[in-house]
Amino acid sequence: MTLPTLSDPAELGFDPERLARIDAHLKTKYIDGGRFPHAALLIGRGDEVAHLSVMGEARPGEALKSDAIFRIASMTKPVTSIAFMQLVEQGRIALSDPITKVLPEFAKTGVFVSGGGNTPFVTRPPATPIRMIDLLRHTSGLTYSFQERSNVDAAYRKLGFEKFTGPSMDEFVAQVSSLPIEFDPGTAWNYSISTDILGAVVERLSGQTLSDYFTDHIFTPLGMTDTHFQVPASKIDRVADCYVWDPQVRMKMYDAGATTAWAGKPGYFSGGGGLVSTLADYHRFARMLLNGGELDGARIVSPHTVKLMAANHLPGGGDLTQMSRSLFSEAENAGVGFGLGFGTVIDAPATMSHCNQGEFYWGGMFSTAFFVDPVDDVIMIFMTQLMPSNAYPVRREIKTMLYSALVG
């Protein structure tokens, strides 16, 4: 899919000179400063594109192009969440249903008490079962291995979770369910493989692989022709190099585009982080969300479903600073709740940043990010390839400068 024609930013309410500040900032601080290999930014208002910039090198000696393919990691999560909500709309499943209704493997999963390493885990029965809503909002008690915080995530690391190259989806579910959860479901928020497990729910309910389901029910209707779990051979030349932050050299090669691991078929399709995509494709996905679940005549979900997903579903109406056990508990996440698949702004002044109440967003571990602002009708999509995503405050900087350029 190609990008829409660039519109006059002034006619869309943006000050062009102020928008230009963003590109200058990205080029000076991040590209010329050796912090990012490349950067691509799209700012839209409604269905139109107000600003598009592409800079840096996709690969050594090759300029980044607007059709570059990026590993979007956790920006996969909103797609999986939309897929699940399609099944909710059909009456196939409910948010309040226990996950054992579809994944009976979790019937005996207990809450961590003690153990780990060379000692068997001791668990207790959970006070409440894991429900479907817990997978969507990360209140399941599951975790991520990269948190390196508990004996449970250590067990995840030992089994190689999040590498996507190991077992089948059924084997993955069996492994996860054999380990303890960290707390009673619904009592805390912990960023986790919950959305990968949600992907397993979609597969079992639909009878399709997650890849086929996405293609048939989301990507094809929306015209997202370059979003994949496995990059086709004909598109390998468009995959940008990916780096990891290094204290000595800043950018150390993690996954070269020419030989990318995403060219191979994964062991299972990760609903939590497995997709690659482009600016144009993710712009169409974001436009669908902004338009209440529809784009160019293709109805993906209803407006009420998008409204429900963008609402705060953290227990007691709290924010991430109050509910998170680890990641995203920092002060900068004050005023941010979590909906059904993405973060949502519930108290704009508390965020101490430029935003609107009701804005929803998320990002990926390779520093990609997007947000949808229904109040000002704004979309932002940022792509680069550096892990981890918290290496630099680029997302907040872009947002501040974007809203500083919005004058009408």
Side-chain angles (χ1 to χ4, degrees):
M1 178 59 63
T2 58
L3 286 160
T5 302
L6 192 65
S7 299
D8 182 346
E11 292 182 359
L12 295 178
F14 287 97
D15 182 324
E17 291 185 2
R18 285 175 167 249
L19 280 179
R21 293 177 183 174
I22 306 176
D23 290 355
H25 178 75
L26 289 173
K27 185 176 187 304
T28 301
K29 180 176 179 178
Y30 290 101
I31 305 301
D32 295 346
R35 292 176 172 86
F36 284 157
H38 47 249
L41 174 66
L42 183 153
I43 297 171
R45 199 160 199 197
D47 288 327
E48 298 184 71
V49 177
H51 181 81
L52 175 67
S53 61
V54 179
M55 62 185 75
E57 293 184 336
R59 302 176 186 183
E62 295 182 24
L64 187 72
K65 297 179 181 178
S66 60
D67 68 348
I69 294 174
F70 301 90
R71 305 151 193 80
I72 62 170
S74 287
M75 281 168 60
T76 305
K77 289 179 170 69
V79 181
T80 305
S81 301
I82 283 286
F84 176 81
M85 293 306 293
Q86 288 180 324
L87 299 172
V88 171
E89 288 189 336
Q90 296 165 24
R92 306 276 297 279
I93 196 72
L95 291 171
S96 58
D97 282 337
I99 67 171
T100 51
K101 182 174 181 178
V102 180
L103 305 174
E105 293 94 328
F106 282 89
K108 295 183 179 180
T109 302
V111 179
F112 174 83
V113 173
S114 64
N118 296 322
T119 305
F121 281 115
V122 176
T123 64
R124 61 170 175 80
T128 56
I130 303 173
R131 295 179 296 165
M132 297 296 173
I133 192 172
D134 293 313
L135 297 179
L136 286 145
R137 66 185 182 183
H138 295 281
T139 56
S140 63
L142 297 170
T143 190
Y144 261 134
S145 66
F146 57 74
Q147 298 210 38
E148 299 192 13
R149 182 182 54 86
S150 71
N151 290 354
V152 177
D153 64 49
Y156 280 32
R157 286 193 297 281
K158 186 176 181 179
L159 288 169
F161 290 175
E162 301 133 52
K163 292 183 178 179
F164 318 148
T165 56
S168 67
M169 182 69 89
D170 285 347
E171 292 169 328
F172 173 68
V173 170
Q175 288 180 345
V176 173
S177 63
S178 70
L179 298 173
I181 53 177
E182 294 197 331
F183 50 81
D184 287 310
T187 62
W189 188 92
N190 190 48
Y191 201 42
S192 71
I193 60 171
S194 288
T195 318
D196 289 280
I197 300 301
L198 190 71
V201 172
V202 172
E203 287 198 349
R204 291 199 186 175
L205 284 174
S206 68
Q208 293 183 281
T209 66
L210 204 59
S211 180
D212 287 344
Y213 185 93
F214 283 0
T215 297
D216 291 348
H217 301 281
I218 300 175
F219 298 157
T220 297
L222 290 179
M224 295 172 64
T225 56
D226 289 321
T227 305
H228 310 282
F229 284 106
Q230 181 180 4
V231 182
S234 62
K235 300 180 182 181
I236 295 297
D237 62 335
R238 292 165 54 195
V239 179
D241 286 348
C242 185
Y243 294 81
V244 62
W245 182 85
D246 181 86
Q248 269 72 48
V249 300
R250 287 191 175 177
M251 294 188 300
K252 183 177 180 180
M253 185 65 72
Y254 174 78
D255 182 62
T259 56
T260 180
W262 274 258
K265 184 177 180 180
Y268 69 93
F269 298 112
S270 168
L275 288 175
V276 299
S277 192
T278 61
L279 277 180
D281 272 19
Y282 216 86
H283 182 226
R284 292 190 67 79
F285 183 73
R287 283 171 61 198
M288 176 273 293
L289 294 172
L290 183 64
N291 292 337
E294 182 270 341
L295 183 66
D296 295 342
R299 170 65 62 190
I300 304 302
V301 291
S302 77
H304 279 279
T305 294
V306 175
K307 184 178 178 181
L308 179 65
M309 295 178 73
N312 183 27
H313 289 268
L314 292 182
D319 68 13
L320 290 177
T321 64
Q322 299 162 332
M323 297 296 298
S324 177
R325 285 290 184 93
S326 181
L327 298 177
F328 303 98
S329 60
E330 302 88 353
E332 67 182 37
N333 289 296
V336 175
F338 205 85
L340 305 180
F342 24 66
T344 183
V345 176
I346 59 175
D347 184 350
T351 69
M352 297 180 288
S353 66
H354 292 66
C355 61
N356 280 312
Q357 201 105 335
E359 172 192 305
F360 52 97
Y361 69 95
W362 207 238
M365 70 175 176
F366 300 117
S367 300
T368 61
F370 87 102
F371 74 77
V372 173
D373 176 3
V375 177
D376 277 317
D377 214 25
V378 170
I379 290 168
M380 188 283 295
I381 300 165
F382 177 70
M383 299 288 199
T384 188
Q385 300 282 255
L386 180 77
M387 179 175 67
S389 62
N390 62 357
Y392 306 109
V394 65
R395 295 166 174 173
R396 179 174 287 255
E397 291 168 353
I398 291 172
K399 180 178 285 188
T400 297
M401 299 179 82
L402 182 159
Y403 279 107
S404 298
L406 185 61
V407 294

